[in-house]
């Protein structure tokens, strides 16, 4: 059964509108949070780039400065690596002291390391041959050799800068500076910060377990080539199976931010969780739920006010109808007394005068007076019941009043009303006038269902007790009802499709019964007849006496 809203405003539409506003607020907050996350990550990237670029730039300057010093020193004197070892060693040691985490070494034209600043370490480069390295080959050709790779001797990732040493226009050696990649970022963060090569292979990170892993998948042939060229000893599985700007890491959504280093095949990468974005999202949802809750409570408050207003209007109308009924009963009753007196005077005439048409006229006059008397009695009874309050009422008396008011009128239209008052406990907490109007509205609905006005119809009003309830059943057996229409029967202006009319009877009964905290339902019985059941909690007789 469809519920009837007390408020004119549709709650689903109202909640839908508030949810729409909440979604807009959520989108705005999410966008604001996302921009804050992006700005924070970009600021960290620029700080990383500045910190590491200082080291890289210093290495290049020292490389060119030391090479130039050697070139100028031996530009006019004979040069050999053996005879110049002491001078070269001093230059290399000075370079190692000036540059943090750096190793300086000199390679002869055949690729063998002649001297190195780590000559006394276990991982000394002296005696190793690096002729296969691309930076060495580029330097021999007179270019600046640059390479990011894992060291063949030290197994430590780093960046290599190589420059040829020219003596009298001839390359006599190659000077190399290697910057070991030890994470020196000033940032203390739970995010993942990394320095990668152009392919996304991690060479340095604030998490050592990620070294030589790739951010995303790389081509298998490329991986084999890098290993074959001894740039990397191995390449581990990627962090993410798909190359995407977003990721899901440790149960939290995040975004990948990248900043390439200018003139170097390196880039800084930050994998940052979108904390502000997620916080803004849930904040928006919370605001949306709060708005929806407040709207719902405001709607309930408005609906309550609407019901109170409707009750006041209904009470006023009922009072007006009651006053009108009382006035009509009084005005009709006065001339009715005169008619009764006049008829009684005629009855006192001698029998020989009363015979014939005069006697017949007096009989019809008596019948008419009795009908009017019943109507007046019904109006007076309705006036007595037309109080607005809820209290103990006898439903059997209400049914009898309904029969008095409408039975003879409906009988003229071949609608006969029968009652079966079987309830042992007929007393309920309700309002007599509203219950009376409910019963009359339902009987009137059955009268409207007639398709043939000359065919007799019988409407039954029954009472019974069932499960601590008093039930009033209003039904009509002759008319068969379509069960598919039951879901809409209590809607205003229920369409009677077969007759092209609309009825307010069930809607009025529904409103009045629920106004008295009762319940009303409609169903099809075993015989296919439509039955209205009005349910109220009855008052036991012992409590009524008290």
């Amino acid at each position: 059964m469809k519920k009837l809203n007390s408020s004119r405003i549709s709650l689903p539409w109202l909640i839908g509108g508030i949810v729409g506003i909440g979604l807009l607020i959520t989108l705005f907050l999410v966008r604001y949070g996302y921009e804050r996350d992006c700005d924070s990550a970009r600021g960290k990237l620029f700080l990383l780039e500045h910190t590491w670029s200082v080291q890289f730039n210093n290495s290049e300057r020292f490389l060119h400065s030391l090479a130039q010093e050697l070139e100028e020193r031996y530009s006019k004197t004979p040069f050999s690596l053996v005879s110049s070892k002491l001078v070269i060693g001093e230059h290399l040691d000075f370079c190692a002291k000036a540059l943090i985490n750096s190793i300086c070494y000199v390679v002869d034209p055949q690729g063998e390391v002649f001297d190195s600043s780590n000559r006394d370490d276990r991982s000394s480069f002296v005696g190793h041959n690096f002729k296969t390295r691309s930076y060495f080959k580029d330097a021999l050709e007179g270019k600046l050799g640059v390479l990011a790779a894992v060291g063949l001797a030290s197994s430590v990732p780093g960046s290599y800068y190589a420059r040829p040493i020219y003596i009298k226009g001839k390359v006599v050696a190659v000077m190399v500076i290697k910057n070991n990649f030890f994470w020196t970022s000033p940032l203390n963060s739970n995010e993942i910060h990394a320095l990668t090569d152009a392919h996304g292979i991690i060479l340095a990170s604030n998490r050592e377990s990620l070294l030589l892993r790739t951010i995303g998948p790389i081509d298998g042939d490329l991986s084999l080539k890098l290993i074959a060229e001894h740039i990397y000893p191995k390449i581990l599985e990627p962090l993410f199976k798909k190359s995407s700007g977003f990721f899901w890491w440790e149960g939290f959504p995040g975004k990948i931010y990248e900043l390439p280093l200018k003139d170097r095949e390196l880039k800084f990468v930050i994998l940052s969780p979108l904390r502000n974005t997620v916080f803004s999202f849930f904040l928006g949802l919370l605001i949306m739920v709060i708005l929806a809750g407040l709207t719902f409570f405001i709607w309930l408050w408005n609906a309550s006010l609407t019901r109170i207003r409707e009750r006041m209007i209904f009470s006023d109308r009922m009072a007006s109808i009651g006053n009108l009924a009382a006035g009509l009963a009084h005005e009709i009753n006065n001339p009715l007394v005169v008619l009764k007196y006049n008829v009684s005077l005629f009855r006192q005439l001698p029998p020989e005068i009363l015979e014939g048409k005069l006697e017949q006229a007096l009989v019809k006059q008596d019948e008419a007076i009795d009908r009017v008397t019943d109507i007046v009695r019904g109006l007076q009874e309705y006036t007595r019941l037309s109080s607005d309050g809820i209290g103990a009422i006898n439903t059997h008396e209400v049914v009898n009043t309904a029969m008095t008011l409408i039975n003879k009128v409906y009988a003229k239209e071949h609608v006969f009303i029968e009652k079966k008052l079987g309830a042992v406990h007929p007393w309920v907490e309700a309002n007599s006038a509203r219950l009376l109007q409910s019963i009359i509205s339902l009987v009137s609905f059955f009268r409207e269902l007639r398709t043939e006005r000359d065919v007799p119809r019988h409407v039954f009003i029954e009472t019974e007790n069932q499960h601590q309830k008093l039930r009033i059943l209003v039904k009509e057996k002759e008319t068969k009802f379509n069960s598919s229409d039951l879901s809409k029967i209590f809607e205003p202006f229920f369409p009677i499709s077969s007759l092209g009319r609309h009825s307010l009877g069930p809607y009025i009964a529904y409103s009045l019964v629920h106004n008295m905290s009762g319940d009303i339902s409609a169903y099809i019985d075993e015989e296919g007849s439509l039955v209205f059941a009005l349910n109220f909690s009855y008052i036991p007789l012992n409590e009524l006496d008290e």
Side-chain angles (χ1 to χ4, degrees), residues 110-178:
Q110 287 73 42
E112 185 174 329
V113 177
F114 173 72
D115 195 7
S116 174
S117 62
N118 70 343
R119 66 181 73 84
D120 298 326
D121 297 340
R122 290 184 179 181
S123 58
S124 172
F125 292 175
V126 177
H128 285 273
N129 194 298
F130 297 138
K131 65 179 180 180
T132 58
R133 289 295 203 183
S134 61
Y135 65 81
F136 174 74
K137 296 176 182 179
D138 292 339
L140 284 181
E141 295 176 0
K143 299 181 292 185
L144 176 65
V146 180
L147 177 67
V150 175
L152 295 177
S154 63
S155 299
V156 176
S159 61
Y160 298 84
Y161 300 94
R163 182 191 185 282
I165 299 175
Y166 289 97
I167 302 296
K168 297 178 182 180
K170 181 181 178 182
V171 178
V172 297
V174 172
M175 178 169 282
V176 184
I177 295 180
K178 177 190 178 185

Side-chain angles (χ1 to χ4, degrees), residues 56-300:
F56 295 152
N57 293 334
N58 288 339
S59 298
E60 287 189 32
R61 283 196 296 269
F62 266 90
L63 179 67
H64 290 295
S65 177
L66 293 177
Q68 287 175 0
E69 286 184 15
L70 290 175
E71 290 172 349
E72 291 175 0
R73 182 165 186 167
Y74 293 101
S75 61
K76 297 180 180 180
T77 59
F79 172 83
S80 69
L81 289 175
V82 176
S83 61
S84 306
K85 184 172 183 179
L86 182 60
V87 176
I88 293 174
E90 291 176 352
H91 283 70
L92 295 180
D93 292 341
F94 174 75
C95 176
K97 291 178 181 179
L99 300 176
I100 301 175
N101 295 327
S102 297
I103 300 174
C104 306
Y105 55 100
V106 174
V107 184
D108 65 18
Q110 287 73 42
E112 185 174 329
V113 177
F114 173 72
D115 195 7
S116 174
S117 62
N118 70 343
R119 66 181 73 84
D120 298 326
D121 297 340
R122 290 184 179 181
S123 58
S124 172
F125 292 175
V126 177
H128 285 273
N129 194 298
F130 297 138
K131 65 179 180 180
T132 58
R133 289 295 203 183
S134 61
Y135 65 81
F136 174 74
K137 296 176 182 179
D138 292 339
L140 284 181
E141 295 176 0
K143 299 181 292 185
L144 176 65
V146 180
L147 177 67
V150 175
L152 295 177
S154 63
S155 299
V156 176
S159 61
Y160 298 84
Y161 300 94
R163 182 191 185 282
I165 299 175
Y166 289 97
I167 302 296
K168 297 178 182 180
K170 181 181 178 182
V171 178
V172 297
V174 172
M175 178 169 282
V176 184
I177 295 180
K178 177 190 178 185
N179 293 315
N180 288 323
F181 289 154
F182 294 110
W183 194 255
T184 58
S185 171
L187 301 174
N188 183 13
S189 174
N190 293 325
E191 303 167 332
I192 298 177
H193 296 175
L195 176 67
T196 73
D197 67 1
H199 309 298
I201 300 173
I202 298 176
L203 301 176
S205 174
N206 59 346
R207 298 193 184 187
E208 294 185 3
S209 60
L210 301 182
L211 293 181
L212 298 184
R213 293 186 68 176
T214 59
I215 301 296
I218 65 172
D219 183 69
D221 294 337
L222 175 61
S223 178
L224 294 175
K225 179 182 177 182
L226 294 175
I227 295 174
E229 293 179 354
H230 303 288
I231 296 177
Y232 304 114
K234 59 183 177 179
I235 298 176
L236 303 178
E237 73 274 4
L239 293 177
F240 309 107
K241 295 182 179 180
K242 294 183 179 180
S243 298
S244 174
F246 297 90
F247 66 93
W248 194 269
W249 182 265
E250 297 179 352
F252 214 84
K255 181 173 171 37
I256 300 174
Y257 304 89
E258 296 182 352
L259 179 63
L261 282 173
K262 187 177 180 181
D263 300 329
R264 295 178 177 88
E265 294 185 353
L266 296 171
K267 57 184 177 180
F268 286 103
V269 178
I270 291 182
L271 283 70
S272 176
L274 298 172
R275 291 188 179 90
N276 290 316
T277 306
V278 174
F279 174 77
S280 299
F281 172 74
F282 284 107
L283 178 61
L285 289 183
L286 178 61
I287 292 174
M288 183 168 59
V289 171
I290 292 174
L291 287 176
L294 288 175
T295 303
F296 178 69
F297 284 115
I298 292 173
W299 183 88
L300 287 179

Side-chain angles (χ1 to χ4, degrees), residues 342-467:
N342 291 335
V343 170
S344 65
L345 290 178
F346 277 106
R347 291 291 184 188
Q348 296 175 7
L349 295 174
E352 58 273 11
I353 298 176
L354 292 175
E355 291 181 356
K357 294 183 178 180
L358 182 58
E359 177 65 24
Q360 294 177 359
L362 290 176
V363 171
K364 291 183 179 180
Q365 189 72 19
D366 285 334
E367 292 177 355
I369 290 173
D370 290 339
R371 287 176 57 189
V372 175
T373 301
D374 289 339
I375 293 174
V376 170
R377 188 181 300 113
L379 289 174
Q380 291 173 337
E381 182 67 17
Y382 182 80
T383 302
R384 184 182 67 83
L385 298 176
S386 296
S387 62
D388 185 52
I390 301 294
I393 65 168
N394 189 326
T395 54
H396 289 174
E397 291 182 1
V398 176
V399 172
N400 289 330
T401 301
M403 296 283 291
T404 301
L405 286 174
I406 62 176
N407 196 15
K408 291 185 178 180
V409 176
Y410 280 19
K412 286 186 176 183
E413 300 181 13
H414 300 91
V415 177
F416 302 99
I417 305 171
E418 301 180 21
K419 64 180 180 180
K420 181 181 178 183
L421 306 179
V424 178
H425 301 282
W427 291 86
V428 298
E429 285 281 342
N431 178 275
S432 298
R434 297 176 197 175
L435 182 58
L436 176 63
Q437 183 62 53
S438 301
I439 295 173
I440 293 176
S441 296
L442 295 176
V443 175
S444 176
F445 173 72
F446 283 115
R447 182 176 66 87
E448 293 172 350
L449 287 179
R450 294 176 303 151
T451 56
E452 300 179 8
R453 295 189 177 274
D454 295 334
V455 179
R457 292 287 185 268
H458 295 81
V459 178
F460 297 88
I461 304 175
E462 302 176 0
T463 63
E464 62 182 16
N465 292 122
Q466 188 180 73
H467 305 300

